[in-house]
């Protein structure tokens, strides 16, 4: 039985047989591949039957399958069973794995949240990777979205499929592989007139829309027109004004990387990816765009107007994309190709930093005829940036409060110049509201003096927004437009789906009671602070704007948020008072008692093992003048001055001198006597003259002492009773032991007696044995004698017979002497008889002897 | 066997899983009683029993405190009686010193300390005396002959009747030398006999003395000559609970020396064995990597780290280990990290508790739902893979989930216990000090069950307060009483205190020697900037370090 083993159970159905999901629970991967031929869209769900995550995802997949089964084939494959084809061919490190195929394209792995709505959304994206844009309004709709959009223009009139269309389509699928959150949307325009709206003229051109920076056209002539390249280009150049954060649950540095970029505004909203409209999201997007609107204000505005107002019929030229207007008004001017650069502070303690507006400027310098770039080329702006960074140091000097523009030659091309208009943003500049007017008049002048470009108007730096710096002390009037470039506390904006990631909100202090899962917080990892949008206000555009503005101003009115443990409030009174963030002030500072406060954390082994000491201390000290309290600092934030970096820490706040708190020295071991000494040493020793109050206090104190002593007596009494109990117990045990001893003694005696008798018996037996032995010997001797005698007799007898025979022969003739011979014969017969009797007696003796030995032996056994 | 209503901290999913764990326990426990008792272990495939580590109904002793944690008071009481009558240590059996200590001595000690809570009628001297304590002491005394070596490091095996067998091998693994302080110090404090704590300390010090120049210890050592026989250094098999007991001993006994030893080791371990949040095996003298493997037994490390406040690192390592679980539905004894697969002949998973143990500790510290997810995965895996008609079978090979005819006693003692505790945040074991019991003993009043339980390496909880209850309590009490007297009198004569200090000389004098000794202490520990017996408080970014998110050190 030692080597008994049992093979794993055979696989069984994972999905129910009625499920729309085809369950290949024997891992028939070959069959799965066959099935793929029949369907345009296939979803594979590779699972392991023992895997908790597979089991949890099963329901979600079934849900999606029930909604999409008419268009998508759902195949589940057991990829664990070691006899199955799937296990033999594929090597997964986790389960479940979801693969999607669009015809032969694939696999596209789904890596998003295992929630039905997200999966369905993704499947739908795989089904229609390209959105068909039929009209101008649809185009605006498409472009106004906060997520980057890529538009391809393909004229379908010429051939059945215009060249490059398939590549574009594939690149859309390709992007789903890379960008599993599906943030980049792909659209296709077939109408020339619609395409003109975004200045696309040639069929086969691809356009990447950007809100804050200039939109780009795919540079066909420089990069090969392949699906991978388009996808890569879009991913690299997309604008992320506001990003979704969707941690996948495994070990990841996502938040680390994002939050280390600088302060971040995390906005939690419940999000259903399948919903048609997202009003709240639109509102947030509007704020985000406004916040990032550092240049091209008009363009952004046009977009913004469309946001949340998508069915607006007023699609006329005045609201149209700004770019068109420029090119109409300034036919010769190049499309303003600008990018805002916020220079890093060159000195960490610097109070200023520089913001530059970098524009490609082809109007300067030599202008060869051939150069005709209709749009802002991303390569060009990239080259500009490269050149700019090469000369970065020249922009690092403090440029006062004026805007200074300088032109510099492109690093790559001798023909193009770049213009960089820079100004220094002083950290004070948002706070000196009253003086702003004068300050900000200067740049205007300064700028116009540098205005060598034709397109000055359109490159007007964001800093000079009209209604930006109205001298008003009301902070909320600071405009949010372009604030991200004006402030030195630029925020990165992030969205989180509160259906999935509410836990982060809770840990930042979102109230647990609220049913509406909306929450916003600004997290500054470097400063180790976070601020929370007042949860009594609803999360809408204006409140969010105010929140951002309040954060940006120098003397921010925002208060560092202190997370409080809500569960502690419901606890009943304890011997050791439980302090939380909200009760800290009241319990420690406002109370008229001496307070001993323990900083602890439940998980810290060194704290938890001290519990009993603090409970004892609290029971010992008079509760009317002492509070023994503790605070769990993992769940309760405290103002900086009360923070501690080691746990446990023990602080003593003496009555009347609360501000002079003292720390229990770390190198003393924490035990009751030491704590008492510590308190004794530091509790008030003021030598003020004794007043009536003092006397009163004293009597109170004495009362305390008395009650303490009474308690002590009580304790001693109970101790005595415990001792009595223990004594009784011992007594009982002792008496039992004594009884036992007695019993054993008696037993010993009886055993000894028995032993003696047995010994006696054995001696007696020995004696009898010897005696019998003697007798036996004697008997043997006698027998020997008898035997000898009988032998003699026999001899005599034989002699006699011979004698008789001889006599008989002699006497046959003499008949007269016959009588005396007869008597002789009788005597010999008598002799024979006595011999046989002796032999029988001897036999009897021997048996007797054996008996004796046996008895002896058994008695010997007993003695043993 | 019935518990009160669930507390507010329990979600429905948690509650449901907790009840599944309870059902798992009874499935295994009842089959053990039915088919295997009084043998040590159940053989789940053949539905019978066998003796493995001795012959003392090991599974029953090991599972005893789990019964109480599950709330089954009546069965606990029944088993206590069964053990008192049925277990005999006067047997001619060669037993592992280490295993007997952690499973039998540890199990009996924790059952003894919990017996009052379980409603057992305890005798007047409890917790300083009692039948289970006497049994534990008897078992421990049987182990003492093993410590009679020139180095003080014990032999690995001892005969319970005759002591160390002649010709016994002197080679013992590191853990087999350094895993006694928790049980033995508890025994010494409760019974008043210092011999147990003394031998345990002596063995610990011998190991410390024999560490390599770069501060590492190997795997096996000769206890006679103190030469290292196996020189692989790591945190897993053969060494694991040595480090664990340095920390737990330091917490239990408030012992700075043990903690400073651990911190030194910790430094060397981080320096030489840690790569990308994995811990590898290295040569103990050179520090070169000898085996790039992760062992199932190493998974206790994150839990230990969280006890001393290194929660960030703990979580990062835990997440590494969790990926291995996700790959196989269990942790193979050895996992080759570069290859990402099991190691030949080490593919088994005997339903070990270590990863779940770490999850329980970390959940206390972070409340991260990822940890409950591991619990969910463990419940699903164990039920789907290893449940058989007669109990739960060891997984012989994680690649194909073949089962072996064995159910180790730690499955009920540890795996189930930690799983249950993970899903039951309101369990009395998690008590944060808001509840406590006051017990009157012949040595004075005693506060017990105030939380902070120290689990021995077989998951038997020891109440640290109980160590302050017995003989030592009395001396302290007098000192406290003196101080209290001064406390009141001092206030009474507030303005005269300074002048009349000589009148209270008695109290003052009592203080002086103490002060002097603590001054000495002060000087000794001045080298370190903070007390060794403390945790760092958590950093700001720990608020967001959940759901797999980790943060790099700000330095």
């Amino acid at each position: 039985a030692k080597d008994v083993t049992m093979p794993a159970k055979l696989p069984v159905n994972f999905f129910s047989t009625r499920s729309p999901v085809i369950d290949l629970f024997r891992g028939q991967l070959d069959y799965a591949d066959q099935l793929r031929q029949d369907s345009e869209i296939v979803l594979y769900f590779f699972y392991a039957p023992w895997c908790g995550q597979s089991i949890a995802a099963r329901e979600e997949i079934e849900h999606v399958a029930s909604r999409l089964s008419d268009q998508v084939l759902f195949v589940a494959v057991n990829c664990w069973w070691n006899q199955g084809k799937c296990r033999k061919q594929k090597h997964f490190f986790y389960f479940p794995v979801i693969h999607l195929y669009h015809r032969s394209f694939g696999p596209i792995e789904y890596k998003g949240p295992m929630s039905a709505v997200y999966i369905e959304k993704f499947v739908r994206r795989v089904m229609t990777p390209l959105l068909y844009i039929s009209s101008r309004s649809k185009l605006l709709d498409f472009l106004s979205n906060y997520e980057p959009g890529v538009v391809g223009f393909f004229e379908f009139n010429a051939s059945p499929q215009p060249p490059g269309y398939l590549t574009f389509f594939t690149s859309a699928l390709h992007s789903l592989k890379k960008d599993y959150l599906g943030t980049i949307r792909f659209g296709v325009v077939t109408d020339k007139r619609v395409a003109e709206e975004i200045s696309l003229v040639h069929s086969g051109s691809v356009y990447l829309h950007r809100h804050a920076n200039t939109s780009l056209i795919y540079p066909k002539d420089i990069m090969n027109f392949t699906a991978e390249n388009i996808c890569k280009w879009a991913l690299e150049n997309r604008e992320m004004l506001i990003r979704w954060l969707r941690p996948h649950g495994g070990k990841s540095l996502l938040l680390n990387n994002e939050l280390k970029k600088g302060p971040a505004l995390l906005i939690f909203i419940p999000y259903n990816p399948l919903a048609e409209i997202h009003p709240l999201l639109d509102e947030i997007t509007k704020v985000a765009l406004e916040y990032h609107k550092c240049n091209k204000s008009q363009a952004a505005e046009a977009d913004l107007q469309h946001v949340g107002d998508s069915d607006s019929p007023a699609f006329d030229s005045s609201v149209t994309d700004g770019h068109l207007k420029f090119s109409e008004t300034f036919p010769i001017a190049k499309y303003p190709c600008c990018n805002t650069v916020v220079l890093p502070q060159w000195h960490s303690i610097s109070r200023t930093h520089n913001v530059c507006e970098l524009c490609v400027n082809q109007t300067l310098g030599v202008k060869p005829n051939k150069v005709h770039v209709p749009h802002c080329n991303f390569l060009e702006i990239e080259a500009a940036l490269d050149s700019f960074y090469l000369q970065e140091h020249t922009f690092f000097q403090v440029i006062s409060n004026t805007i200074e523009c300088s032109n510099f030659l492109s690093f790559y091309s001798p023909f193009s110049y770049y213009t960089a208009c820079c100004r220094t943003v002083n950290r004070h500049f948002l706070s000196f509201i009253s003086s702003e007017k004068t300050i900000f008049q200067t740049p205007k002048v300064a700028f116009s003096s540098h205005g060598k470009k034709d397109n000055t108007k359109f490159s007007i730096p964001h800093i000079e927004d009209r209604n930006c710096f109205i001298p008003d002390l009301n902070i909320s009037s600071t405009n949010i437009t372009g604030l991200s470039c004006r402030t030195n506390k630029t925020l990165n904006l992030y969205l989180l789906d509160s259906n999935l990631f509410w836990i982060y909100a809770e840990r930042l202090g979102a109230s647990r009671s609220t049913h509406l899962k909306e929450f916003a917080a600004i997290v500054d990892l470097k400063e180790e602070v976070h601020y929370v949008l007042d949860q009594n206000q609803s999360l809408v555009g204006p409140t969010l704007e105010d929140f951002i503005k309040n954060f940006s101003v120098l003397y921010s009115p925002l208060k560092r948020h202190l997370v409080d443990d809500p569960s502690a409030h419901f606890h009943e009174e304890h011997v050791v008072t439980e302090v939380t963030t909200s009760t800290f002030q009241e319990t420690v500072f406002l109370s008229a008692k001496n307070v001993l406060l323990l900083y602890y954390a439940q998980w810290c082994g060194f704290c938890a093992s001290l519990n009993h000491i603090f409970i004892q201390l609290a029971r010992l000290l008079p509760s009317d003048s002492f509070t023994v309290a503790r605070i769990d600092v993992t769940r309760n934030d405290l103002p900086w001055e009360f923070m501690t970096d080691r746990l446990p820490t023990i602080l003593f706040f003496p009555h009347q001198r609360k501000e002079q708190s003292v720390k229990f020295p770390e190198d003393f071991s924490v035990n009751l006597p030491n704590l008492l000494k510590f308190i004794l040493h530091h509790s008030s020793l003021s030598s003020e003259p004794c007043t009536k109050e003092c006397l009163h206090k004293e009597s109170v104190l004495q009362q305390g002492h008395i009650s303490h002593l009474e308690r002590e007596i009580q304790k001693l009494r109970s101790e005595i009773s415990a001792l009595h109990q223990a004594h009784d117990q011992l007594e009982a045990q002792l008496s039992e032991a004594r009884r036992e001893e007695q019993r054993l003694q008696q037993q010993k005696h009886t055993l000894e007696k028995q032993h003696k008798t047995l010994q006696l018996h054995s001696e007696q037996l020995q004696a009898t044995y010897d005696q019998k032995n003697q007798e036996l010997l004697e008997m043997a001797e006698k027998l020997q004698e008898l035997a000898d005698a009988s032998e003699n007799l026999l001899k005599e007898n034989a002699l006699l017979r011979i004698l008789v025979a001889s006599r008989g022969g002699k006497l046959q003739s003499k008949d007269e002497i016959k009588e005396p011979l007869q008597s002789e014969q009788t005597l010999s017969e008598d002799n024979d008889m006595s011999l046989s009797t002796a032999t029988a007696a001897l036999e009897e003796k021997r048996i007797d002897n054996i008996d004796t030995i046996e008895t002896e032996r058994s008695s010997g056994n007993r003695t043993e | 066997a019935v518990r009160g209503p669930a507390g507010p901290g329990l979600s429905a999913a948690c509650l449901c899983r907790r009840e599944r764990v309870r059902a798992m326990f009874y499935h295994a426990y009842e089959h053990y009683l039915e088919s295997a008792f009084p043998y040590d272990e159940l053989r789940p495939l053949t539905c019978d029993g066998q003796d493995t580590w001795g012959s003392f109904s090991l599974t029953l002793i090991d599972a005893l405190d789990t019964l109480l944690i599950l709330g089954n008071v009546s069965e606990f009481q029944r088993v206590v009686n069964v053990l008192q009558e049925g277990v005999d240590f006067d047997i001619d059996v060669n037993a592992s010193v280490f295993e007997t200590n952690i499973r039998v001595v540890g199990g009996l000690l924790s059952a003894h300390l919990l017996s009052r809570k379980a409603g057992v009628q305890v005798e007047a001297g409890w917790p300083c005396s009692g039948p289970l304590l006497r049994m534990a002491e008897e078992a421990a005394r049987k182990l003492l002959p093993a410590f009679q070596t020139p180095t003080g490091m014990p032999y690995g095996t001892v005969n319970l009747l005759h002591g160390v067998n002649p010709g016994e091998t002197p080679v013992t693994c590191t853990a087999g030398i350094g895993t006694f302080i928790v049980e033995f110090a508890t025994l010494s404090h409760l019974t008043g006999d210092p011999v147990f704590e003394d031998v345990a300390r002596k063995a610990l010090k011998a190991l410390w003395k024999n560490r390599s120049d770069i501060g590492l210890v190997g795997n096996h050592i000769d206890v006679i000559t103190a030469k290292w026989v196996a020189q692989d250094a790591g945190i897993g098999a053969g060494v694991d609970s040595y480090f664990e007991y340095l920390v737990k001993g330091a917490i239990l006994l408030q012992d700075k020396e043990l903690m400073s030893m651990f911190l030194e080791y910790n430094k060397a371990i981080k320096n030489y064995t840690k790569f990308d949040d994995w811990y590898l095996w290295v040569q103990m003298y050179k520090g070169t990597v000898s085996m790039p493997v992760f062992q199932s037994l190493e998974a206790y490390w994150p839990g230990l780290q969280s006890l001393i406040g290194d929660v960030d690192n703990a979580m990062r390592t835990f997440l590494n280990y969790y990926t291995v679980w996700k790959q196989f539905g269990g942790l193979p004894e050895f996992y080759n990290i570069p290859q990402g697969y099991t190691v030949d002949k080490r593919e088994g998973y005997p339903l070990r508790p270590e990863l779940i143990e770490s999850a329980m500790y970390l959940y206390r510290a972070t409340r991260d739902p990822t940890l409950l997810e591991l619990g969910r995965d463990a419940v699903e895996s164990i039920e789907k893979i290893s449940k058989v008609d007669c109990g739960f079978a060891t997984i012989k090979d994680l690649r194909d989930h073949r089962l072996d005819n064995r159910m180790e006693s730690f499955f009920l003692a540890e795996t189930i216990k930690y799983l249950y505790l993970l899903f039951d945040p309101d369990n009395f074991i998690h008590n944060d000090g808001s509840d406590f019991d006051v017990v009157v003993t012949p040595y004075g009043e005693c506060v017990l069950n105030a939380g902070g339980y120290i689990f021995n390496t077989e998951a038997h909880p020891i109440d640290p307060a109980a160590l302050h209850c017995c003989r030592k309590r009395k001396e302290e009490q007098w000192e406290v009483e003196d101080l209290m007297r001064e406390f009141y009198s001092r206030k009474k004569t507030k303005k005269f205190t300074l002048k009349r200090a000589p009148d209270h000389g008695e109290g003052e004098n009592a203080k002086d020697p103490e002060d002097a000794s603590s001054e000495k202490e002060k000087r000794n520990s001045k080298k370190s900037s903070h007390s060794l017996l403390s945790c760092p408080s958590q950093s700001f970014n720990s608020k967001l370090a959940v759901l797999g998110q980790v943060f790099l050190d700000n330095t």
Side-chain angles (χ1 to χ4, degrees), chain A residues 503-504 507-509 530 560-563 633-637, chain B residues 538-546 551:
Chain A
I503 183 167
Y504 293 113
R507 293 170 74 96
L508 291 171
H530 76 286
R560 173 181 166 232
H561 186 78
L562 304 174
V563 177
V633 284
T634 314
R635 296 179 192 180
N636 295 282
D637 290 338
Chain B
Q538 277 183 291
S539 59
F540 173 75
N541 54 30
S542 70
K543 286 188 200 305
L544 295 170
V546 288
F551 288 83

Side-chain angles (χ1 to χ4, degrees), chain A residues 289-294 462 480-487:
Chain A
L289 287 180
E290 198 69 20
Y291 183 66
H292 285 289
K293 198 169 72 175
C294 295
H462 48 270
I480 184 134
T481 310
L483 189 61
S484 74
C485 302
R486 278 182 282 135
T487 173

Side-chain angles (χ1 to χ4, degrees), chain B residues 368-407:
Chain B
D368 185 343
T370 310
L371 300 157
L372 296 180
E373 240 168 63
L374 169 89
R376 172 200 71 185
D377 288 359
V379 170
E380 294 288 356
S381 285
I382 292 172
E383 278 210 335
K384 287 258 156 48
I385 301 165
S386 78
K387 186 174 181 178
V388 292
D389 291 343
C390 253
F392 291 88
T394 285
I395 300 171
K396 191 180 176 63
D397 190 335
L398 270 178
R399 293 170 304 175
D400 60 3
H401 290 174
R402 173 172 288 274
L403 299 179
D404 208 351
N405 194 15
R406 190 150 184 210
M407 185 178 87

